[in-house]
Amino acid sequence: MGQAVKSIKGVHDVLPDDVHLWHFLETVVREVTAGYGYREIRTPILEKTELFKRSIGDVTDIVEKEMYSFEDRNGDQLSLRPENTASCVRAAIQHGMLSNQQMHRIWYLGPQFRRENPQRGRYRQFWQVGAEVYGIPGPFIEAELILLSAKLWQRLGLAESVSLQVNSLGSNEDRDNYRSVLVEYLNDHISDLDEDSQRRLQTNPLRVLDTKNPAMAEVVGNAPSVLEHLCEESKTHFEGLQASLKQCGVPYEINTRLVRGLDYYSHTVFEWVTDQLGAQGTVCAGGRYDGLTEQLGANPTPGVGWALGVERLLALISDTGNAPPPPSPDVYLVLAGDEAVVAGMALAEDIRRARPDLQVITNCAGASMKSQFKRADKSNAAVALIIGEGEISDGTVSLKLLREQTQQQTVPRAQLLDVLQGIFG
Ligand code: ATP
Ligand code: MG
């Protein structure tokens, strides 16, 4: 036997014992997005590398060193998507969704790929849920997107575990002005910058503010604030967002260091953070990206959205004790002998036809009655149905409630569905 093949680093299986947590999150996401009139979009995992170079930006960590890119057999440069916003915008342009001032509210769920250093909350394949809106300028839609995310936290039992930080990068012009002021400041403090930040200063200076190095806290903390460089219009926009959040009862904090890693943001940016996950504390992040459609070759269209990290959120749900219990089967059929197995499988089909809501397991694997009862017990099923020679010849089924101290009872087959109705409603 050769050595067993294992999954690759930073890429994980979701095992049957845990999948109910994913379903819980997905169900809440589907219900909440529907409640705000958002519709799902599914874009491919594989895209042209150019899409991400043009949208995320050549000098971001993602495009510089984190993408899984390869040359296809015909010479095309392809990449596994590192995020989903660029693909959504690409799809919207491609399918004419942005013409004639259309408005769209969409959401997605899917795996993303980044070649990062794996650690808790940071993986190479990770899942995101995201919401995006096209065609609506102004702060109110930003507030709506934030409200939608806040509703998710409520429904997931996490409202007390996360808090909202907001900032504004202003218009492109504001951002450019601020960039020169920041570069000047950082150049004056160049000896305090770590190697990474010295490099970013040359390529993408705003990202220096995004540093996760505690040794840089002071120099970053004293940097000039972007908010002091907003024009009147940008200030009004940001005030509009804050007024909406206040009116809708969403507490927030302004964090002037919040710039977001990707190149395409302007005006409002925000993050939902938690102090319960250690270094990987951002569970959801987003902002406005009005320039992105133009970067991708279409007419300028307002765009705004956010993405949340599913694994981080599920870790938070588990850590805070808000995880729902795994579902267990309702009925386990204990079957003595081959004839009983066949009769039991037919009975299980009858039950499934009449009661598609019940989970019914037949013991197809033989073994003594004692072992089969052990399996039934371990499966967490509520009810065991027993068929042996006696039940076959009498046209009955024996029934035992596995979670209660009651006697086994014998039920005529014709009455079984009524008895199950009495138990399961
Ligand atoms: P970080 O600053 O933590 O690297 P980011 O700014 O790169 O995050 P985004 O690209 O905005 O993250 O993605 C949105 C969310 O997706 C993040 O807030 C996080 O919850 C999640 N996320 C991002 N990268 C990873 C990863 N490698 N593994 C797990 N979750 C991730
Ligand atoms: Mg990152």
Side-chain angles (χ1 to χ4, degrees), residues 308-320:
L308 65 81
V310 171
E311 287 85 353
R312 288 188 196 177
L313 216 53
L314 291 182
L316 198 54
I317 291 172
S318 299
D319 289 1
T320 49

Side-chain angles (χ1 to χ4, degrees), residues 136-318:
I136 309 183
F140 306 125
I141 191 67
E142 297 162 4
E144 176 184 286
L145 275 158
I146 291 174
L147 282 170
L148 165 53
S149 57
K151 181 75 81 217
L152 287 174
W153 320 141
Q154 273 171 24
R155 290 282 311 275
L156 295 167
L158 297 177
E160 305 302 315
S161 307
V162 293
S163 62
L164 175 65
Q165 300 192 341
V166 297
N167 194 22
S168 174
L169 302 176
S171 64
N172 288 346
E173 202 184 342
D174 298 337
R175 202 174 135 149
D176 289 347
N177 290 339
Y178 173 63
R179 186 182 287 119
S180 1
V181 174
L182 181 67
V183 166
E184 198 175 317
Y185 167 84
L186 292 172
N187 270 319
D188 287 347
H189 296 80
I190 192 121
S191 53
D192 298 331
L193 303 186
D194 62 15
E195 203 183 310
D196 214 26
S197 299
Q198 292 194 7
R199 194 175 49 84
R200 284 178 176 171
L201 175 55
Q202 302 307 321
T203 56
N204 191 351
L206 260 65
R207 282 226 57 187
V208 173
L209 301 181
D210 222 14
T211 178
K212 296 186 172 74
N213 180 357
M216 297 264 304
E218 197 184 325
V219 63
V220 162
N222 292 329
S225 158
V226 61
L227 294 181
E228 281 153 23
H229 298 269
L230 300 187
C231 67
E232 282 313 308
E233 212 180 321
S234 299
K235 272 189 199 152
T236 307
H237 184 132
F238 193 39
E239 280 157 12
L241 170 78
Q242 294 180 61
S244 310
L245 292 177
K246 281 192 189 122
Q247 180 124 23
C248 296
V250 182
Y252 64 88
E253 200 179 284
I254 294 178
N255 174 0
T256 57
R257 313 293 156 222
L258 182 63
V259 291
R260 306 290 308 121
L262 311 183
D263 252 2
Y264 49 56
Y265 288 109
S266 60
H267 289 291
T268 304
V269 288
F270 59 90
E271 289 191 355
W272 286 96
V273 296
T274 177
D275 53 14
Q276 294 170 36
L277 289 177
Q280 269 53 255
T282 304
V283 292
C284 175
R288 179 167 282 285
Y289 51 81
D290 292 348
L292 183 55
T293 47
E294 223 176 344
Q295 253 168 269
L296 291 176
N299 290 330
T301 311
V304 49
W306 52 250
L308 65 81
V310 171
E311 287 85 353
R312 288 188 196 177
L313 216 53
L314 291 182
L316 198 54
I317 291 172
S318 299

Side-chain angles (χ1 to χ4, degrees), residues 13 51 86 89 118 134 173 284 371 412:
D13 302 303
L51 172 65
V89 172
Y134 304 129
E173 202 184 342
C284 175
S371 312

Side-chain angles (χ1 to χ4, degrees), residues 356-383:
D357 57 316
L358 297 185
Q359 288 189 30
V360 183
I361 296 183
T362 48
N363 182 85
C364 297
S368 68
M369 296 295 270
K370 195 170 161 209
S371 312
Q372 289 195 44
F373 268 109
K374 266 197 193 148
R375 287 177 194 154
D377 204 41
K378 207 169 153 220
S379 79
N380 255 332
V383 167

Side-chain angles (χ1 to χ4, degrees), residues 49-68:
T49 300
E50 183 197 355
L51 172 65
F52 305 114
K53 286 196 166 179
R54 274 169 68 175
S55 57
I56 299 170
D58 265 327
V59 293
T60 53
D61 285 355
I62 293 182
V63 171
E64 270 182 351
K65 54 181 191 198
E66 294 176 359
M67 279 212 296
Y68 284 96

